[in-house]
Amino acid sequence: MNTTIPVTSTATELSETTGDEWWRTAVIYQVYPRSFADSNGDGIGDLPGITAHLPALRELGVDAIWLSPFMTSPQRDAGYDVADYRGVDPLFGTLADFDDMLAAAHELGLRVIVDLVPNHTSSDHAWFREALASAPGSAERGHYWFRDGKGENGDEPPNNWNSVFGGPAWTRTTNADGTPGQWYLHLFDSSQPDLNWEDPWVWARFRDILRFWLDRGVDGFRIDVAHGMAKAEGLPDFTPAQGAGSMGGAGGSLEPEISTVPPEPPYWGQEGGHAIFRDWHRVLAEYDGDRALCGEAWIDPPSKLALYVRPDEMQQTFNFSYLETPWNAQALHEVITSSLDAFGSVGAPSTWVLSNHDVVRHATRLALMGDNPQGHGLGPKTPFRPDPVVGLRRARAATTLMLALPGSAYLFQGEELGLPEVIDLPDSARQDPTWFRTHGERYGRDGCRVPIPWTAAGASYGFSDTGASWLPQPAEWATLARDVEASDPDSTLSLYRRLLAEREERGLGAGVLEWLDGFGENVVAFHNGEVTVVANVGEASVSLPPGTVLVSSAPLAEGRLPADTAAWLAR
Ligand code: NOJ
Ligand code: CA
C-alpha cells in the first residue's frame, strides 16, 4: 500500500461562466445536516457546524457538496416534509447562516447543491392548510390530490395505493363540522401530501422557489422523488410485483441475478414528469455558472432512467441500479456497461453511488447474507448479522472500483471513515416514519443516519460539545473518528483521499472505459486512460497485470490481489 497521502488544500477557481460543465466529472459529497456537526450543543447538526468543517471536505478532495433539506419543517421525515421552501428551519440556523456556509464553500472551491422536495409538501405548509380550509373542488384543493372516498359513505380510500413508508397512501380529512371529508394522497407519510403537478399554479410556485435559491448562488438542486411527481391519469389501482424496492426500484435482492423489471406503477416514472424538468432546465439556463439538476429517480433499467437526463432535462440522475448491484463481477460488469451505454446515448455522464441516507451503509450492505429490500433497514431482531470485517473490506474495494469509473460519483458522509450501519439502535431512539407506520415491522433508515465521529476523545466524538446526539453513537466509533484516521496511512479516510487525488490528477472522471478480459470470472478489470483498474470480488487471490500500483484497497499478498480487494495501476 502507498503511504503518502497527497492533500490539496488550495482552493480551485470556480468558473463564473457557463461552459465547463463541472457536474460531468464531479465527486459530490452528501452532507446530511442533522448528523454532520452540531455547533450549539442541542445534539442536532446545523449550518454553522457545516461551515466550520468545510475545510475537512476540501482536504478530502471532493468537488461539491449536496445538503439534504434544512428548510422550515416539522421534521416528521427529517426535513423531507417542507413547510416553507424559502425558510431555514431554526433547528439548522438562519438564512444568513446558509449564505455564510455557501460563501465559505465557494471560497474553498466547493460547489453546493441543495435538496428540493417538489413531490409533496409538509401538511403544515400554508398551501395545504388553505386547501383543507377550502371546499371540495376549490382551486386550493386542486394543488393537491383530494378525492372522495369509495363505498357507500366514502369511507374507503379512492384507490389501493400504499405509502412507501407502509400503510395506505390516502388519509381521510375531517370537515369543519366534524363529519368525515375527502381523502388526500400521500405516497410517503400522511404529513407529506402529494402536490398535483397537473396544476399550472404548482409549476409557477416552483419556478419562483428555484429562482430564490439560484439567486442566492447555489450550484444546483437534488430533486427528491423526481420519478413520482407525475401520476397516471385517473389514478388507477395497482398491485406491486413481489419484492419491488420501496422507493420504486427493481428491488433490494442481493441475489446475483439481474432482477426482472416489474411493471411500472402508476405513480413512478410517468411520462408527464419530463415536461417539468424541461421547464426547470430553462430556468437554470438563465443563470451563469453551469447550474445543475440531479434527479432522485428510482427507475430501472438505466435505459429508462437515462430519459431524465436528455439534453433538455436534468443534468444528472442517481444511478440506483449501480447501488443495488450485488458484489458479483458479472453483475457489476453488466450494470457498468448498461449505465455507460444508456447515459452515453443521451450525451449525459453516468453517475455512481454506493451509499446515502436512505440505504444500509455499503460497509454493512455488501456483507449481508439475507434479503433486505431498500428502506427496511436492520435492527436487533434482523435474523442475519453481517461480518463487519468482510463488509469494510468489500466497501473499500467497492469504492476503489467506483471512483475509477468515468462520470460523476456521490459519497455519503461517514463512508470515508468506513462507518458501518448502526444495527443496535434502541427502539426508543428510532425516528424514521417507516418504523412507526409499519408498527416496528421495518426498522427503516435511522441506522445510516447516526451522527458522524470527528474526534476519538470528547463527548459524542466531537459531533457536539455537550455530548448530545439525536441518535446514539456506538462505543466502537472512537477508532473510526476522523482525527484517528487522518494520521493513519492505512485508514479508510487515507484511502479515500488518495483515490480522490489520483482520480483528479489522472482525469478518470472524464476518461473512457475499456474492458479487460482474462482475469477470471470473479474479477472486474478495465483501463481508464493510463490507469488499469482491477477488482477481485472472489475468494481467491489473482495475479495483477503489469504496472505500478498507485493505490490498493488492502495490502497485496506476495504481489497478488487478494480476495475482496481492488487496485489501480499506472500502465
Ligand atoms: C427520498 C428521500 O431521500 C427520503 O429520505 C425521503 O424520505 C423521501 N424521498 C420522501 O421525501
Ligand atoms: Ca445544533
Side-chain angles (χ1 to χ4, degrees), residues 237-250:
D237 279 352
F238 176 72
T239 305
Q242 281 292 315
S246 53
M247 287 287 181

Side-chain angles (χ1 to χ4, degrees), residues 266-284:
Y267 38 84
W268 298 144
Q270 297 301 305
E271 177 56 32
H274 293 289
I276 305 168
F277 306 126
R278 284 188 203 109
D279 189 53
W280 292 2
H281 184 104
R282 288 190 290 270
V283 173
L284 265 67

Side-chain angles (χ1 to χ4, degrees), residues 30 32 66 68-69 77-81 115 117 119-120 164-165 187-189 192 222-227 247 296 298 320 356-358 374 432-434 445 449:
Q30 180 187 359
Y32 194 65
W66 146 39
S68 280
D77 183 24
Y80 283 95
D81 48 326
D115 218 310
V117 188
N119 176 69
H120 45 265
V164 168
F165 295 156
L187 291 182
F188 296 89
D189 189 52
Q192 294 166 296
R222 177 263 190 191
I223 308 301
D224 191 60
V225 199
H227 61 313
M247 287 287 181
E296 187 221 14
W298 289 81
F320 294 120
N356 66 28
H357 66 294
D358 289 329
Q374 187 278 327
D432 187 339
T434 307
R445 303 157 295 171
R449 299 175 174 181

Side-chain angles (χ1 to χ4, degrees), residues 38 40 42 44 46:
D38 174 24
N40 64 353
D42 65 357
I44 298 180
D46 44 49

Side-chain angles (χ1 to χ4, degrees), residues 170-192:
W170 294 89
T171 290
R172 196 167 193 182
T173 61
T174 305
N175 296 321
D177 64 3
T179 56
Q182 286 192 300
W183 299 69
Y184 66 89
L185 175 69
H186 51 87
L187 291 182
F188 296 89
D189 189 52
S190 56
S191 63
Q192 294 166 296

Side-chain angles (χ1 to χ4, degrees), residues 9 27 72 95 126 147 156 172 194 211 263 268 353 370 398 410 477 521:
S9 54
V27 176
T72 313
L95 208 45
R147 290 288 182 275
E156 288 166 35
R172 196 167 193 182
D194 278 50
R211 290 199 173 100
W268 298 144
V353 62
Y410 278 80
W477 277 17
E521 60 177 10

